[in-house]
C-alpha cells in the first residue's frame, strides 16, 4: 500500500492534489510521501525486530535532508558512502553514533573526519584501506571500529549495473582473501576489525540470492572465529527491490527468515542497509507536457522533465510507470508512445513504447516510483537547473529543496584572468 490515490479523477499524494503542488512550485518537480516512507521503514524494521537487527538507511538513494530526518526520527541510522553524506546526516539530526561509513574508496581525509566525528563503524573494502585506516586512527589517537566488506561471489540476478557481489565487481574482498586481511588487521595498531559486511546488489525482487550470500558470511564468521578473531557484528547490506512495473515485490517475511536461519544464532549484532526499498515507491516525478508530436511510427510526448532530472531509464534501461495526473485511468490510445524530454540526446527519454491515453499540451504526468536514485542522480546538463523536491505529510506539503536558478548554477564558473573584462 502506498499513499498515491485517485480522488474525483485527480491523483493525490496522501491528502494533497498534485495540481495544487504544481501550481505552487511549477513543473517539473519531485514529490515524496512521508507516510509511504514510514510504512516501508516500519515494515522493514518490524520484520527484523525479533532478530534485533538495526536499520541503517542507505541515504545515497535519496539524501534530501527532510527525507533523512523523516527516517531518522523514526529510528533509522544511516549507511553513508562519503563524508558529504556524513555531514548531511548530522545536519538532519542522525548522530554520528548511528552512522555506518561504507564505500570502495574512502580517502584518508574522509576517514580522519569520520573518526573525529565518532561514526559507529567504518567498512573497509581493501588491504590499502585497512592500512590507511590504521595510520589515520593511530595518528589521531583513536581506535577505529571496522568491518570488512566481503564479496561472496553470488549472482543477485539483477541489472548488470547494480549487481555488486560477483567476483568481477569492484566491491569488497574475495572470501578466500578475507582471513589474511583479518590476520593483518590483528597486527596493526588503531583498528579493531570485528565485523563482516555484505551487499550483493540492488533491486533484488527474488530473495534467494541472499540465502547463498548469508550462508557464506556465516561460514566465514565461523572460520574467522576458529582462527582466533572476534566477530561481534554482521552488516547484511540492502538491496531489496520494489515493484516498478509487473515485478512481485520481495517477501519481507521470507527475507527475515533467511536472516534468522543463516546468521541469527551466531551471537552477532545485526544491521541492514535498505535504500530503495524505503524511499523508491514514496516518490514521483511530476512533469508537464510541452508538445505532442506524431512521428512515423509512434507518438512522442515531449515533457518538461528529462534525463538530467531522472537518469534511471537511460542508465539502467529502468521502467517507471507513467500516469496522467488527471483521469489516470483513461483508456490508452492505439499505438505506442515515448515520453521524452527536451535534451539533445536520443537517450533522453523517461519511458518508451508505452500505451498512454490521449494527452495534450499542458497536461500533467506522474512518473511513478521515482523516490530512489532520482533527484540524487540529477544534473544540470543542457543548463537545466536542479528541480524542486516537495514533501507531503497528510494534507500538508512543503518545498524541501527549492528550484535552483540559472544564476546559481553559473555562479561556480569564473572567467580566467585573460578573458575577464578590463
Ligand atoms: C547502495 C548500497 C545500499 C543500498 O542499496 P539499495 O538497493 O538501495 O537498498 C546498501 N549498502 C551499500 C554498501 C550500498 O552501496
Amino acid at each position: 500500500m502506498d499513499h498515491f490515490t485517485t480522488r474525483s479523477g485527480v491523483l493525490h499524494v496522501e491528502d494533497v492534489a498534485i495540481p495544487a503542488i504544481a501550481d505552487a512550485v511549477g513543473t517539473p518537480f519531485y514529490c515524496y510521501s512521508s507516510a509511504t516512507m514510514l510504512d516501508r521503514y516500519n515494515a522493514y524494521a518490524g520484520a527484523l525486530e525479533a532478530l534485533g537487527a538495526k536499520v541503517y538507511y542507505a541515504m545515497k538513494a535519496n539524501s534530501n535532508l527532510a527525507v533523512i530526518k523523516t527516517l531518522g526520527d523514526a529510528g533509522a541510522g544511516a549507511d553513508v558512502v562519503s563524508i558529504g553524506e556524513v555531514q548531511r546526516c548530522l545536519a538532519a539530526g542522525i548522530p554520528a553514533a548511528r552512522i555506518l561509513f561504507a564505500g570502495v574508496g574512502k580517502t584518508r581525509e574522509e576517514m580522519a573526519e569520520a573518526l573525529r566525528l565518532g561514526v559507529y563503524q567504518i567498512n573497509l573494502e581493501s588491504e590499502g584501506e585497512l592500512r590507511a585506516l590504521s595510520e589515520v586512527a593511530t595518528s589521531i589517537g583513536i581506535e577505529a571500529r571496522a568491518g570488512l566488506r566481503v564479496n561472496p561471489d553470488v549472482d543477485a540476478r539483477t541489472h548488470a549495473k547494480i549487481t555488486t557481489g560477483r567476483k568481477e565487481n569492484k566491491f569488497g574482498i574475495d572470501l578466500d582473501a578475507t582471513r589474511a586481511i583479518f590476520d593483518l588487521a590483528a597486527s596493526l595498531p588503531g583498528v579493531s576489525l570485528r565485523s563482516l559486511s555484505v551487499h550483493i546488489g540492488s533491486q533484488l525482487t527474488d530473495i534467494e540470492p541472499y540465502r547463498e550470500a548469508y550462508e557464506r558470511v556465516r561460514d566465514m564468521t565461523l572460520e574467522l572465529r576458529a582462527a582466533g578473531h572476534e566477530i561481534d557484528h554482521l552488516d547484511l547490506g540492502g538491496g531489496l527491490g520494489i515493484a516498478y512495473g509487473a515485478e512481485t515485490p520481495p517477501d519481507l517475511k521470507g527475507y527475515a527468515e533467511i536472516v534468522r536461519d543463516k546468521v541469527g544464532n551466531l551471537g552477532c549484532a545485526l544491521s541492514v542497509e535498505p535504500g530503495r526499498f524505503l524511499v523508491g515507491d514514496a516518490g514521483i516525478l511530476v512533469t508537464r507536457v510541452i508538445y505532442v508530436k506524431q512521428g512515423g511510427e509512434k507518438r512522442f510526448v515531449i515533457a518538461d522533465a528529462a534525463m538530467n532530472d531522472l537518469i534511471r531509464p537511460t542508465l539502467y534501461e529502468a521502467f517507471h510507470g507513467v500516469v496522467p495526473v488527471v483521469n489516470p485511468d483513461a483508456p490508452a490510445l492505439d499505438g505506442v508512445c515515448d515520453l521524452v524530454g527536451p535534451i539533445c540526446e536520443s537517450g533522453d527519454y523517461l519511458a518508451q513504447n508505452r500505451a498512454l491515453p490521449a494527452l495534450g499540451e499542458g497536461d500533467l504526468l506522474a512518473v511513478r516510483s521515482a523516490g530512489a536514485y532520482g533527484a540524487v542522480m540529477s544534473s544540470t546538463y543542457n543548463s537545466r537547473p536542479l528541480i524542486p523536491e516537495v514533501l507531503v505529510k497528510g494534507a500538508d506539503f512543503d518545498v524541501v529543496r527549492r528550484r535552483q536558478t540559472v544564476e546559481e548554477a553559473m555562479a561556480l564558473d569564473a572567467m580566467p584572468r585573460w578573458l575577464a573584462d578590463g
Side-chain angles (χ1 to χ4, degrees):
M1 150 91 183
D2 59 34
H3 296 265
F4 297 83
T5 55
T6 306
R7 298 183 193 173
S8 310
V10 176
L11 195 61
H12 282 59
V13 182
E14 302 189 26
D15 297 325
V16 180
I18 290 170
I21 306 176
D23 287 346
V25 305
T27 57
F29 63 92
Y30 277 99
C31 180
Y32 310 128
S33 154
S34 305
T36 306
M37 280 181 232
L38 291 171
D39 281 0
R40 292 301 167 88
Y41 173 77
N42 289 326
Y44 205 107
L48 294 165
E49 194 169 14
L51 295 162
K54 173 124 194 56
V55 179
Y56 290 81
Y57 168 49
M59 60 169 282
K60 72 176 189 285
N62 186 325
S63 54
N64 185 282
L65 294 179
V67 170
I68 299 169
K69 183 160 173 58
T70 299
L71 291 167
D73 286 357
D79 171 74
V80 306
V81 292
S82 72
I83 203 69
E85 287 194 344
V86 174
Q87 287 168 348
R88 278 186 174 266
C89 278
L90 297 177
I94 295 186
R98 276 163 47 197
I99 296 177
L100 263 174
F101 194 177
V104 75
K106 296 171 285 294
T107 65
R108 284 175 160 77
E109 292 72 26
E110 285 181 305
M111 288 178 180
E113 186 62 17
L115 291 177
R116 277 192 213 101
L117 290 167
V119 304
Y120 170 60
Q121 176 169 303
I122 295 183
N123 285 343
L124 303 170
E125 301 212 16
S126 64
E127 184 184 323
E129 268 201 334
L130 169 61
R131 291 185 186 277
L133 182 62
S134 169
E135 281 169 30
V136 169
T138 307
S139 75
I140 53 180
I142 292 177
E143 172 144 283
R145 200 194 139 81
L148 184 68
R149 178 164 174 183
V150 295
N151 184 327
D153 195 23
V154 165
D155 183 359
R157 298 173 217 165
T158 183
H159 189 277
K161 286 196 175 129
I162 49 175
T163 193
T164 58
R166 297 306 303 269
K167 267 197 158 59
E168 61 266 33
N169 300 134
K170 71 178 176 182
F171 299 101
I173 289 277
D174 287 352
L175 283 172
D176 43 24
T178 297
R179 167 81 189 279
I181 297 278
F182 272 80
D183 290 345
L184 174 63
S187 73
L188 293 175
V191 184
S192 170
L193 182 59
R194 280 185 284 174
S195 168
L196 288 174
S197 150
V198 68
H199 173 70
I200 56 175
S202 198
Q203 183 51 15
L204 277 77
T205 49
D206 173 8
I207 58 176
E208 283 310 307
Y210 288 110
R211 196 183 299 280
E212 211 176 324
Y214 295 167
E215 169 103 25
R216 292 183 187 177
V217 168
R218 174 196 177 80
D219 291 348
M220 185 49 63
T221 303
L222 298 174
E223 186 184 327
L224 290 168
R225 283 178 174 170
H229 297 293
E230 187 192 343
I231 307 292
D232 62 10
H233 174 261
L234 298 176
D235 172 5
L236 303 173
L240 282 187
I242 61 173
Y244 285 99
E247 306 95 325
T248 309
D251 168 16
L252 265 184
K253 260 182 74 183
Y255 174 74
E257 274 162 26
I258 291 175
V259 172
R260 192 196 59 212
D261 289 354
K262 296 300 174 191
V263 294
N265 61 355
L266 292 170
C268 287
L270 301 177
S271 62
V272 287
E273 308 163 342
R276 186 190 315 269
F277 186 88
L278 301 186
V279 295
D281 282 331
I284 56 174
L285 169 64
V286 179
T287 180
R288 199 180 283 283
V289 176
I290 312 176
Y291 300 111
V292 180
K293 165 162 105 170
Q294 189 62 51
E297 307 270 294
K298 47 170 96 158
R299 192 163 48 119
F300 292 98
V301 174
I302 303 161
D304 61 4
M307 64 186 279
N308 70 301
D309 303 307
L310 178 65
I311 197 143
R312 298 192 68 260
T314 310
L315 186 60
Y316 307 120
E317 290 114 36
F319 175 97
H320 286 268
V322 174
V323 289
V325 167
V326 176
N327 290 327
D329 302 320
L333 294 184
D334 286 344
V336 289
C337 183
D338 281 6
L339 174 62
V340 303
I343 285 183
C344 308
E345 300 269 350
S346 298
D348 178 29
Y349 54 85
L350 298 175
Q352 282 185 309
N353 302 319
R354 299 293 174 82
L356 287 178
L359 290 167
E361 294 176 13
D363 287 352
L364 292 172
L365 294 171
V367 179
R368 302 293 309 263
S369 302
Y373 307 105
V376 283
M377 288 185 135
S378 58
S379 76
T380 57
Y381 186 40
N382 277 210
S383 288
R384 294 165 51 85
L386 298 176
I387 64 175
E389 294 172 270
V390 173
L391 184 64
V392 172
K393 183 175 190 294
D396 204 2
F397 72 90
D398 216 342
V399 176
V400 294
R401 182 177 77 188
R402 67 175 173 77
R403 193 181 304 278
Q404 188 185 37
T405 65
V406 177
E407 289 72 23
E408 282 169 328
M410 283 196 297
L412 293 176
D413 293 15
M415 287 300 166
R417 281 179 302 282
W418 58 92
L419 291 179
D421 293 333

